[in-house]
Each structure stands twice: as C-alpha cells, then as structure tokens.
Amino acid sequence: MGRDDGRVHRIDTSGTKEEESTASRKSQDHHAQFIEAIRWELEDEMEQVEDRLRNWSRTRLLAHGVSLFDLKARSAGWMYGMRLLRLSMEKGGPMPSHRFKHGDIVLLSRNDPLGRQALEGVVARRSRNQIILAMNNLPKGHRQGIWRIDRGANRIAHDRMRDALNTFLGDEKSTSLTSLLLGQGRDIEQAANVDHGIKGGKRSELTTESDLNLSQNEALNAAITRRLTLIQGPPGTGKTHTAVRILRRWSLEGNAPILAVAESNVAVDNLLQGLLAIGVDAVRLGQPVKVREPLREATLDARMERHRLQKDLKAIIDLNESLARKIPGLKGKEKGLAHKDLNRGWGEARRIEQQMKEDILNTAKVVCATCIGSGHEILEGRRFPRVLIDEATQATEPATLVPITRGCRQLVLVGDHRQLPPTVISKRAEKGGLGISLFDRMRNLGVHSIMLKEQYRMHPIISQFPSMQYYDNALINGVQAEERLAPTGLIWPDFERPVAFLPIEGGEVVAEDGHSRANPAEASWVVRILSMLLDPGDLNNSDIGIISPYNGQVRAILDLLEQSGGTMLGDRWHGVEVRSVDGYQGREKEVIILSTVRSNSEGEIGFLDDARRLNVAITRAKRGLIIIGDPNTLRNQRDWDFWLTWAQERNLMAWHLLHM
C-alpha cells in the first residue's frame, strides 16, 4: 500500500511466486504482441507504398494526389541549416491538385522513387504554382532535367517504437511506471494514485486556478499529485488550455525537466504556443519546416542561431571550408597535416555545437516534441521524470512509450476516447492491439479518468446531440446562444438554432483514384451553400471549414472550387479549408459544411460506420453546422439514425433549400 509521506513506495503486487510468474508472462506477452504489431504495420505500409509506386499508373497516382511529375528544380536558399529546393511545373502554370502539405516527408527522384538515387525531403511551403522542399543536401545537377516527388513510408517511427518497447521491458531505469502500465497491481486505480516521489520536487498543495473551471481544476490537482492521471477532453472543453496550466504548475515545482508531447505536430505547436503565451521557457524539437511559422523562433535550431557561441561555430566552419578547398592543391606531408587540421577543426565544431544544444536544453523548463520526435538521439541520456502526452487517444501504445521510457515517474495522458482512435494502416496490426491507445487500455483496467465538462466552442444546439449521445448529458455550455448567432446568407430551418440537414439522394460514385468515394451532387451543393454563406460578407473564407469522410470527395470539392474561382492566394475561395474528418480533429471553424457522400440502395456506409467520426465531424462548428447527405442510406447506421431523428424532432431539415 502507498503511504502518504511524500515518498514513493512500491506497491506489493507479487504476493506469491505464482503471481510473479504471471506478471513476468504478462510483460513478455505485452512485448511480443506489440513488437509483432509494429513489424506488421511497417511491412504493410512499405508494401502499400511499393505497390503504389511500382504498379499504379501515372494517371492514377496523379488522381490520388500522391505524386507530381514533370517538375523543374531551382535552389531557394537556406532554412536553419537545411537547403531549400523550389519545384514548379516544367512548362509553367499551376500544379495539379495534390495531397502534399506542410511538413510531409516526400521522395524526390528523376523517375525511380524506389531507386538508390531517390532523396528524402520535407515540404517547407506550398502554393498554387510551386512546392518548396527542405533537404539536407541538394541533388547534383538539380537544375538539369525534370523531377518527380512521391509520398513514401517513414521507417524512423517504427524503429523508435521498437526501441522504446525493448527499453520498456529491458531497462528498469527507463520508467518507474512499468508495473502500473502493464496492469500488474491488484488495484490499478490505487496504484495510479500513489505519489510520484520525484527527487527535488515538492509535493504541491491542492489549489484553485482562477482561469480554470471546476473540472479543469480537478484535472490540475490530480495531475500534480498522482503518478498517473487520465484527462478526458470532449470537444471544446479546453483540454490544451488545461494541459498548458499543468505544465506551468510542474515547471514551478522544481528543476526537473518536463517533456510535453503529442501525436501530431499541430497539437505540439498548440502546447508550445500556450506555454510561450504565459511565459514558460519551452524549446521545440523537430525540423523547423514542420513547425508553425510564428513558433519557429522557439525551435532548437533557431535558438542555436541566437546562441552566444554561434559566432565561434561559424568562424570554425568557415575556416574548415576554406582549408578543404585548398587541400586538393597540396602534396605530401603538407597535405597530410592539412587533413589532420581539418579533422581537428570539424571535431571542435561538433564539440561547440553539442555545447550549444546542451546549454539550451539544460535551461528550458519544458521540451516539446511529437511522441516519435522525443526518441531523437539529441535527448539520449536525458531523463524526464514528468511527461504529459496530449492527443493520447490518437497515439498507438508503442508511440506513447517513446517519451515514457525517457525516465518518466509522473505521467498525464490527455485525450478523448470518444473521438478518433490511433491511425493504423495494417489490419492485422490493428487486430493485434495497435489500434488501442494506452489511454483506453488504462481506462479499461480501472484507472479513473477525469472528464472536462464545460464546452466553450459550440452553439448550445450543436453541442446538444454529442452531449446526449457520447457524454451522458454531462457537457455544460460555457457559451450562450446569443454569443454564437447564426450566420446570415443561408436560410436556416430555425435561425435560433443554426443546424441544417440537406437531404440529397443519389450521386455516389467511385472517385477518380479508383479507390475512394465521391458524390458530385453533394460537391455541387457544397459550393452553392458556400456562396450563400459568403455573399453577405459577415464571414471570411477562413471562417468556413468543409469536411468529408472520403478523400475522394475532398479532392472532388477542391477541384470544383478550383474550377469555380480558385483556392490559392488572391482567388475567390482562398482560405476555405477542405479536409477529411481525420484532418479536422482538434480544429474548429465558425461554420462547418459536412458532405457525407454515401448514397446507395444497399445501405453501405463505409467510414460512416464509426461513431467517433460522427462525433468529431459535428463538433468542429462554433456558429453553424450544415450536413449534406442521403437520409435513407445514413439511417443504416445507429448513431446517424439517432442524429437524423434528433434533427427531425427539432425541425432542422432543410428541404426548403432544394426548391430555391
């Protein structure tokens, strides 16, 4: 049993030799299960990518938006030590519609992305007419001939997850939470509630923060006292705000470094932005090109450029490069001595660079990174007793172990199991357990989760259904209807309750990529409704988000927007975001237009069968929600049937729009 004397005590979970043997088997089974699952995930992802690159036609690759051809390349300068390469169409003009976005890893090649000559780059910027890649080095002869880029597989994530699993089981010093996370105690909730026992850190007194509501303060107090805390953050309840306040409180408790991570770069940037806004010294790991531009000054690379030793480093590098240019003209002993001087110089440069990194990391209160990014060698040997993981329900368990095995003694997992789960490509890996997050597994084992209850995003009518259907009517509205007035332009079924369902039957087709689904009739209505909303002028383009569960429909809508005015800077539709449901988790807009796509006599609904996608899709809107779909098809899914009944009972069906 844990004694409340400010120190950590191991809970006796052994009891008998038989129980010890059972615990050992559980550990071994856990390790073997996930090692196999991540191997399957990598194999299936690699197979998927290779099949696509070997067997798909050029037309199909272009239609799917995963490749671009006939590109010319030009140097575009530097960015934090990386070379920039500008790619544009050989014959000029806009690029075809594609799926390459900021931060994506791509393969650059002449015409063989699977060949040895292919190079890896990261999308730094994109516009209608060009894509700029950040690369370690520019390819030889980059100005000659034409290039192509392709989306590829990333082995680094799988390697780091495997290493974390091995460390988790094989290194007792990697984390003090191993037994707890494996569920080996008799009372898991009691084990989670034991004091963290971090040396040098004082046990915080329970407190009430004025900028946190009741449930947020409950989460804060749990996080500063327990060694494992689960915080459930339904849509709009301020989970990132709460996470940032937890990190600030931790930073005031002692000198122990803190590791704050999330599954996506967007979520890490949100944590970083919150920390900087309240004056917490935080440094961001990761390539600056993957970081939101206003936050790049907080990256390790940017801070190194401002370091007091930067001038010394640059002087040595300049001297070394000058010496390297002279060496080919030297002979004999003189050449040998020059090589020794060069090696000595590069050694000194590496020493200074390492000192700069150490200085920055040693002084930062919080280190921010993605889950996988926290496995970077730059953190090798560093221990982080306190770890907070945002988007924990979207991360696979092996991914969450990457930061945990950096010495974690106190862990906070923030997420929402009622929203999207981890993204897993391999079906066999998903069945093998990779699709269940650590957050979910700990809940299932009996660890209590604290739910944030007051939502500040949605008009009360928009929050009503998800509160009823997914959160046991527990959500409290922190905003009133008069703070979320219905946008003008659209004739809503009820202007006091800005939700509308537009019934469109038929139109479902296989998308141009031959794989996904699209619905041209719904796409056309999306553009019409968009025009209605924007014409009065009280909404900006960036206030409206368009969502579809199918990438085929996303591309169909984007194509239609391009044809009817364009989406790039200066164009009619610039700023209107069109994304999949998965791409909108964690985001919000004044108005959301949702195109459901499926319309068939068989009642097949595909991705729509996941209730979590419905929850995410309908909770992104602040002032207005418009859903377009075929009610006859949608009613074949239980949650959609409930939603349609709910909408009908409140007279929110927009039949009148069909006759305008």
Side-chain angles (χ1 to χ4, degrees):
M1 297 287 290
R3 299 188 298 274
D4 191 15
D5 59 3
R7 294 177 294 151
V8 67
H9 302 275
R10 188 176 297 278
I11 295 178
D12 182 11
T13 60
S14 56
T16 66
K17 289 185 177 181
E18 183 179 351
E19 288 178 338
E20 288 181 4
S21 177
T22 300
S24 178
R25 286 198 304 273
K26 186 179 288 188
S27 299
Q28 296 290 341
D29 290 346
H30 178 274
H31 178 264
Q33 171 193 355
F34 282 111
I35 286 290
E36 191 167 41
I38 63 174
R39 178 173 62 81
W40 287 338
E41 177 74 354
L42 177 60
E43 287 177 354
D44 289 358
E45 184 179 359
M46 293 290 293
E47 184 179 338
Q48 186 183 93
V49 171
E50 288 185 17
D51 175 69
R52 182 172 74 222
L53 296 178
R54 291 188 192 282
N55 301 319
W56 285 22
S57 68
R58 175 169 170 152
T59 301
R60 188 178 181 188
L61 290 168
L62 283 169
H64 208 264
V66 294
S67 301
L68 288 171
F69 300 87
D70 301 328
L71 305 172
K72 62 182 180 183
R74 297 291 185 268
S75 174
W78 295 79
M79 178 185 286
Y80 299 109
M82 298 189 76
R83 298 300 304 272
L84 297 179
L85 186 71
R86 179 183 292 106
L87 299 171
S88 56
M89 302 303 298
E90 183 190 25
K91 297 181 179 180
M95 289 185 163
S97 177
H98 59 80
R99 293 168 60 189
F100 297 103
K101 61 185 184 297
H102 172 258
D104 279 353
I105 297 173
V106 302
L107 297 172
L108 174 74
S109 70
R110 292 296 186 183
N111 199 33
D112 186 12
L114 298 176
R116 293 185 177 181
Q117 301 301 314
L119 296 174
E120 196 172 86
V122 179
V123 178
R125 293 191 292 272
R126 55 159 288 184
S127 67
R128 183 178 184 179
N129 296 317
Q130 63 183 25
I131 288 177
I132 295 179
L133 302 183
M135 310 180 71
N136 290 326
N137 295 289
L138 296 183
K140 293 181 179 179
H142 64 271
R143 292 180 65 90
Q144 285 77 48
I146 60 173
W147 299 88
R148 64 181 279 183
I149 56 173
D150 301 87
R151 295 184 70 175
N154 183 7
R155 292 189 64 98
I156 294 175
H158 302 87
D159 291 343
R160 289 180 180 174
M161 287 191 289
R162 181 200 61 224
D163 292 345
L165 279 163
N166 291 334
T167 302
F168 181 67
L169 185 65
D171 184 359
E172 292 183 356
K173 296 180 180 179
S174 68
T175 175
S176 63
L177 304 180
T178 302
S179 297
L180 170 60
L181 298 183
L182 289 173
Q184 294 176 349
R186 292 195 180 111
D187 189 329
I188 301 300
E189 168 61 15
Q190 182 190 48
N193 200 35
V194 171
D195 185 65
H196 49 77
I198 297 173
K199 293 181 180 178
K202 58 186 180 183
R203 185 179 178 118
S204 295
E205 300 296 325
L206 298 183
T207 186
T208 299
E209 297 265 349
S210 59
D211 61 344
L212 298 180
N213 62 41
L214 186 64
S215 59
Q216 290 171 338
N217 269 303
E218 181 187 358
L220 171 66
N221 284 312
I224 61 179
T225 56
R226 293 165 60 97
R227 63 174 179 159
L228 172 62
T229 303
L230 307 184
I231 301 173
Q232 183 188 1
T237 55
K239 69 178 181 67
T240 300
H241 178 72
T242 306
V244 167
R245 293 313 187 270
I246 291 169
L247 292 168
R248 179 177 67 177
R249 178 57 65 84
W250 278 353
S251 73
L252 298 174
E253 287 191 1
N255 295 319
I258 300 163
L259 188 55
V261 302
E263 177 66 7
S264 70
N265 281 296
V266 171
V268 179
D269 285 350
N270 289 340
L271 289 173
L272 177 64
Q273 185 176 17
L275 289 167
L276 296 176
I278 57 176
V280 177
D281 185 14
V283 61
R284 173 75 152 90
L285 298 189
Q287 294 177 328
V289 297
K290 295 185 178 182
V291 178
R292 198 179 303 149
E293 193 165 349
L295 301 173
R296 287 177 182 168
E297 288 300 303
T299 62
L300 181 62
D301 296 74
R303 293 182 63 162
M304 285 181 65
E305 288 192 356
R306 302 192 301 273
H307 194 277
R308 58 184 176 80
L309 295 177
Q310 179 61 229
K311 289 183 179 179
D312 296 342
L313 178 63
K314 187 177 185 307
I316 292 174
I317 291 173
D318 289 344
L319 187 64
N320 290 346
E321 291 177 345
S322 176
L323 181 57
R325 288 192 293 270
K326 293 177 181 178
I327 285 178
L330 303 178
K331 294 181 180 180
K333 186 177 181 180
E334 192 177 23
K335 189 172 186 176
L337 290 172
H339 273 295
K340 286 184 179 179
D341 288 342
L342 189 62
N343 288 335
R344 193 180 302 112
W346 284 123
E348 178 64 10
R350 285 192 293 272
R351 186 195 68 76
I352 293 175
E353 188 177 51
Q354 184 62 31
Q355 182 61 57
M356 293 163 66
K357 292 176 181 177
E358 293 288 328
D359 289 348
I360 295 166
L361 292 173
N362 287 342
T363 56
K365 290 289 187 179
V366 183
V367 175
C368 301
T370 62
C371 290
I372 298 302
S374 68
H376 195 283
E377 61 190 18
I378 199 169
L379 297 181
E380 200 63 39
R382 291 185 173 272
R383 317 304 282 178
F384 295 89
R386 291 186 170 99
V387 177
L388 182 143
I389 304 178
D390 199 4
E391 289 188 335
T393 48
Q394 287 186 268
T396 65
E397 183 165 333
T400 60
L401 290 179
V402 177
I404 290 171
T405 52
R406 292 284 187 200
C408 180
R409 300 181 67 84
Q410 187 175 21
L411 175 64
V412 173
L413 301 177
V414 185
D416 183 10
H417 57 285
R418 295 293 188 183
Q419 297 187 62
L420 293 177
T423 299
V424 180
I425 292 172
S426 169
K427 296 296 183 184
R428 53 180 177 164
E430 186 175 16
K431 291 179 180 178
L434 203 60
I436 301 173
S437 68
L438 178 62
F439 186 108
D440 262 335
R441 190 167 64 78
M442 298 314 298
R443 281 188 67 259
N444 294 335
L445 286 173
V447 178
H448 170 66
S449 64
I450 299 166
M451 189 175 96
L452 308 181
K453 296 179 180 178
E454 193 163 353
Q455 73 87 15
Y456 300 93
R457 175 186 297 161
M458 297 166 276
H459 186 292
I461 192 62
I462 300 174
S463 70
Q464 187 181 106
F465 179 83
S467 178
M468 175 183 68
Q469 189 70 9
Y470 304 117
Y471 303 106
D472 298 321
N473 283 315
L475 290 187
I476 303 167
N477 291 309
V479 292
Q480 304 304 312
E482 53 268 25
E483 300 174 75
R484 296 288 187 266
L485 296 176
T488 57
L490 184 75
I491 302 177
W492 298 88
D494 184 345
F495 274 90
E496 299 297 318
R497 297 183 292 183
V499 173
F501 180 83
L502 180 64
I504 302 293
E505 296 182 10
E508 178 186 331
V509 298
V510 176
E512 288 184 10
D513 60 25
H515 176 71
S516 189
R517 300 279 170 172
N519 192 310
E522 289 188 15
S524 178
W525 267 103
V526 166
V527 178
R528 291 177 65 180
I529 290 171
L530 189 58
S531 296
M532 294 178 192
L533 290 167
L534 290 174
D535 282 348
D538 66 334
L539 287 175
N540 297 316
N541 288 20
S542 58
D543 292 330
I544 302 176
I546 300 169
I547 301 178
S548 178
Y550 290 91
N551 286 321
Q553 183 72 344
V554 169
R555 289 189 292 277
I557 293 170
L558 284 170
D559 288 344
L560 201 55
L561 292 176
E562 284 291 346
Q563 296 165 18
S564 61
T567 60
M568 297 300 174
L569 185 64
D571 291 343
R572 181 183 182 189
W573 306 119
H574 175 68
V576 177
E577 287 192 78
V578 188
R579 296 174 180 255
S580 67
V581 178
D582 298 54
Y584 255 105
Q585 176 142 329
R587 298 170 60 80
E588 63 183 26
K589 291 287 184 179
E590 297 292 315
V591 180
I592 287 290
I593 306 171
L594 170 62
S595 172
T596 60
V597 177
R598 302 309 299 264
S599 179
N600 54 78
S601 57
E602 295 81 15
E604 295 180 358
I605 56 173
F607 285 134
L608 298 175
D609 196 35
D610 191 336
R612 292 169 297 189
R613 278 195 168 82
L614 171 61
N615 185 28
V616 171
I618 65 176
T619 54
R620 303 304 97 194
K622 297 170 68 175
R623 293 172 54 194
L625 172 66
I626 304 108
I627 300 179
I628 307 171
D630 182 347
N632 296 321
T633 300
L634 293 176
R635 284 194 179 277
N636 288 280
Q637 201 276 341
R638 188 193 69 156
D639 288 74
W640 273 105
D641 186 35
F642 289 165
W643 189 91
L644 285 165
T645 299
W646 172 87
Q648 281 183 321
E649 290 174 349
R650 288 154 182 80
N651 298 315
L652 301 177
M653 308 298 282
W655 294 98
H656 60 284
L657 294 180
L658 298 175
H659 307 293
M660 293 182 62

